[in-house]
Every structure is written in C-alpha cells, then in structure tokens.
Amino acid sequence: MAHQTFTPLSNMEISAFCSQMAMIRHSGLSFSEGISLMLEEPTSKEEAELLTFMKETLQATGSFPEALAATHAFPEYLLQMVQIGDKTGKDDMVMEALSDHYERENNISQAIKSAVTYPMIMIFMMFLVIFVLLTRVMPIFHQVFQQLGSEMTGFSKAILDFGIALNRYSVVLIVLIVLLAAVVLYFSRTKSGRAKWNSIGSRITWLRSFTDKISACRFASGMALTLSSGISPEKSMYFASKLIDDVRYLGKLDTCQAAVDDGADLGTALLEYGVFSGVYARMITIGYKTGSPDKAMQDIANRYQEEIDQKFASLMAALEPTLVIILSLVVGMILLSVMLPLMGIMSNL
C-alpha cells in the first residue's frame, strides 16, 4: 500500500464523518460497506480520495483504526478512542460520542474565532479611520489655516505633526502591522502558540475564567466519551487530559489523577483540586452513585458549553459599543481641535 498523507480534517468534518460511521454501525453494516456507501456521493474530490484510500487500506489490513491512522488526517485522540471501541466492541457508541465531542470542539473554536475576529476587524477599521484623518484630512485643515493667515497651535499642531510623521514612516507602520498579523496567526494556528497564549491567559484574571471553562468543557467531554466506552476513571482521566492545552489546568489534572490513583473519590478530588466547581463535582459523585458517570460528565460538558457561549455573547455585546464610543471620542477630539480655532478665526474676519 502506497503511503499517502492527507490534509487534517476540521472538527466539523470529523464530527460529520463520525456521525455517518455511527449510523452505519448502528444499521449493522461493516466499516468497509459504510465507506463504500459514502463513496457513492462524496461532497468533494478530496473526500473521495480520502475515502478511497481508507477503503483500500481497510481491505489490505482488515483494521479500521489502522485505515484511519494511515491517512494522517485524524487527531491522535480520535485514533486512540477508535482503537478502544474496536477492542471493546462498542465502536458504534464510540463513533457517536466522538461526533458529539468534535461538534462541541467546533463550537468552542467558532466562539473563540468570533470573539477574536470581529474585535480585530473593528480595531483595524478604527485605526484606518484615524490614520486617514491624521494623514489626509489634517493637512487640508493646515492649508486652510495658512490661507487665512494663521497657523495651527497647541493640541491641533501636535496632531498634525503626528500625522505627518505617520505619513513619512508609513512603510514602517505597514511592516509593524504585518508582524502583528503574523503574531496573531502564530498564537491562533500553531500548537505551541496556543500553549503560550493559554499560559499568558492563565496569568490574567478575566482571561483565566475563559481558559478554565474551555479546558473544563473539553475535559468533561473527553471523560464522558471514555467512561461511556467502559474505560476506568483513572485511564479516562489520562485520555481526557490529552485534549487540554492549558499547562496550569494540566497541573490540576495531574494532581487530581494522583489522588484518584491513591484511592480518593473522583468527585471529591475534582472539587478539591479545582478541576470542576462545587456543583459540577457533586454531580459526578451523584453520577457514580446512580451508575451513570458518563451521562453526568456529558451534562457537565453541555453546561460548560452554555456558559462559554454566554460569556462570549456578553463580551461581544459589551465590546462593540465600547469600540464605537472610543472611535467617536477620538475622531471628535481631533475634529474639535481644529474646528474650534477655525471658527474663532472666521468670526474675527
């Protein structure tokens, strides 16, 4: 079998794939038959090539986990869970749980992207308006003052000089903007960048609540998936911790897992070491007492997802008017700094 590497799938694509595989397995069809059905109506040429390669690998090896791994298009966590499903005979349940898990990951990613992209566009437009005002409009006012036999003074002169300097060094400004864009892409697109961003965010109080909730949501979702597959709590924590990028939160999980390994109650350890809040930790204890810890974890993940969505929505609701107010104040101050002296000159003519 020729080696081939495909572009990694997005969270939404992985969720859709797992959902289809879950339906196929629920209907009693084999993975090979399911892939053949999916090949009848591929959504793109890339998907057709991926499915064809998976089918050929599956026929050659007889192993669905190996067929997935050979594409290099699926994350390591999914591959591990598919192997567990294959060994335990619960591959249909695992694929269904994976679909829910990666749909939640997609929702978190979209929420973060929306919370970052929209303000960045607003800030860029704000700086663009101010830049045009300083470098193009202010010189026109300066010419008007000169034609009237006067000169700009004080604050308006300082703004004019600043605009002239910006215009003179516009190339340097463009380079700085490109470097800033590169930094943003580094922190958002690379694994090491996201890890550093999480490390920075954990030191800022108001950002820490976001990162903690996102990590807790991912951990609860991973625990729900692994527990529903019949894995012990100790191993479930090991697998679920692989989903976390936040080093500080990982430290909490390591300490909690050590306590669980020593025989501590999972719910008590989660509360004591700050992995979950009090209410959610008690839900885990109740879940174990009722024999449904996986459902309790799933409920916790859903609740954390709702909290994340609400926090991002409230942030966006507050950020938009704040940026508009700042832009209005800055533009107003610049215009008033030249309009008031100009009105004084005009009244003396």
Side-chain angles (χ1 to χ4, degrees):
M1 178 66 62
H3 177 76
Q4 190 169 356
T5 301
F6 295 88
T7 303
L9 299 179
S10 66
N11 288 326
M12 201 66 245
E13 290 172 333
I14 293 173
S15 177
F17 174 80
C18 292
S19 178
Q20 289 176 298
M21 286 290 102
M23 288 189 291
I24 287 166
R25 294 299 292 145
H26 279 311
S27 64
L29 297 175
S30 66
F31 282 118
S32 180
E33 292 170 329
I35 294 174
S36 297
L37 286 175
M38 294 171 66
L39 274 170
E40 293 179 2
E41 295 182 3
T43 58
S44 64
K45 179 182 177 182
E46 291 76 14
E47 183 184 13
E49 292 176 352
L50 175 66
L51 292 173
T52 300
F53 180 79
M54 286 173 57
K55 183 178 179 180
E56 292 173 352
T57 307
L58 182 57
Q59 291 173 343
T61 63
S63 171
F64 182 63
E66 288 185 29
L68 293 180
T71 64
H72 299 282
F74 296 92
E76 184 64 27
Y77 178 76
L78 179 142
L79 299 177
Q80 291 176 342
M81 293 310 304
V82 170
Q83 286 180 347
I84 292 170
D86 186 58
K87 291 177 182 178
T88 59
K90 297 181 179 179
D91 44 28
D92 54 342
M93 295 174 58
V94 168
M95 296 307 294
E96 187 175 357
L98 282 170
S99 175
D100 294 337
H101 170 75
Y102 282 101
E103 183 179 1
R104 183 175 291 105
E105 283 290 296
N106 178 72
N107 292 337
I108 292 175
S109 298
Q110 291 300 319
I112 295 173
K113 189 180 295 184
S114 298
V116 172
T117 303
Y118 182 72
M120 289 298 292
I121 293 174
M122 288 285 292
I123 292 171
F124 174 77
M125 293 302 298
M126 184 172 71
F127 278 106
L128 182 62
V129 169
I130 295 172
F131 179 79
V132 172
L133 190 61
L134 293 177
T135 59
R136 295 292 180 266
V137 178
M138 289 298 289
I140 295 175
F141 277 111
H142 180 58
Q143 292 175 4
V144 172
F145 271 84
Q146 288 180 327
Q147 291 173 358
L148 294 174
S150 181
E151 291 287 341
M152 286 185 174
T153 59
F155 184 60
S156 59
K157 181 65 166 59
I159 293 176
L160 175 64
D161 292 340
F162 181 64
I164 293 172
L166 281 179
N167 198 28
R168 184 178 303 164
Y169 300 105
S170 57
V171 175
V172 176
L173 184 63
I174 292 173
V175 171
L176 290 175
I177 292 173
V178 171
L179 289 175
L180 179 61
V183 169
V184 172
L185 287 175
Y186 169 73
F187 279 113
S188 62
R189 298 290 184 181
T190 64
K191 186 175 181 179
S192 60
R194 288 194 295 269
K196 290 181 180 178
W197 172 250
N198 287 330
S199 177
I200 295 171
S202 65
R203 296 187 179 95
I204 303 173
T205 303
W206 66 274
L207 275 178
R208 191 183 303 157
S209 63
F210 283 106
T211 57
D212 280 352
K213 287 185 185 297
I214 290 171
S215 296
C217 181
R218 285 173 171 164
F219 175 70
S221 178
M223 287 290 288
L225 174 53
T226 50
L227 288 171
S228 65
S229 303
I231 302 175
S232 67
E234 294 79 7
K235 289 186 177 180
S236 293
M237 289 188 68
Y238 169 76
F239 284 117
S241 64
K242 292 183 176 293
L243 301 170
I244 310 301
D245 294 327
D246 189 344
V247 177
R248 189 180 63 86
Y249 198 86
L250 275 173
K252 293 181 181 181
L253 289 178
D254 291 340
T255 308
C256 181
Q257 183 160 12
V260 173
D261 291 341
D262 291 337
D265 174 71
L266 179 59
T268 304
L270 291 172
L271 174 60
E272 182 178 351
Y273 299 106
V275 177
F276 289 155
S277 64
V279 175
Y280 296 149
R282 283 193 290 272
M283 287 174 62
I284 297 301
T285 301
I286 295 171
Y288 270 100
K289 289 180 179 179
T290 58
S292 55
D294 55 331
K295 292 182 180 179
M297 284 290 186
Q298 187 67 44
D299 190 25
I300 290 171
N302 292 337
R303 289 172 185 250
Y304 270 121
Q305 180 68 60
E306 291 175 2
E307 290 184 20
I308 292 168
D309 292 340
Q310 289 173 0
K311 277 191 170 290
F312 278 126
S314 61
L315 175 65
M316 296 299 294
L319 195 57
E320 181 177 358
T322 300
L323 291 175
V324 172
I325 290 171
I326 293 173
L327 176 61
S328 302
L329 289 174
V330 172
V331 172
M333 287 175 60
I334 294 173
L335 292 178
L336 284 175
S337 70
V338 293
M339 291 302 296
L340 291 178
L342 185 60
M343 290 173 63
I345 295 173
M346 297 293 291
S347 63
N348 294 328
L349 293 178

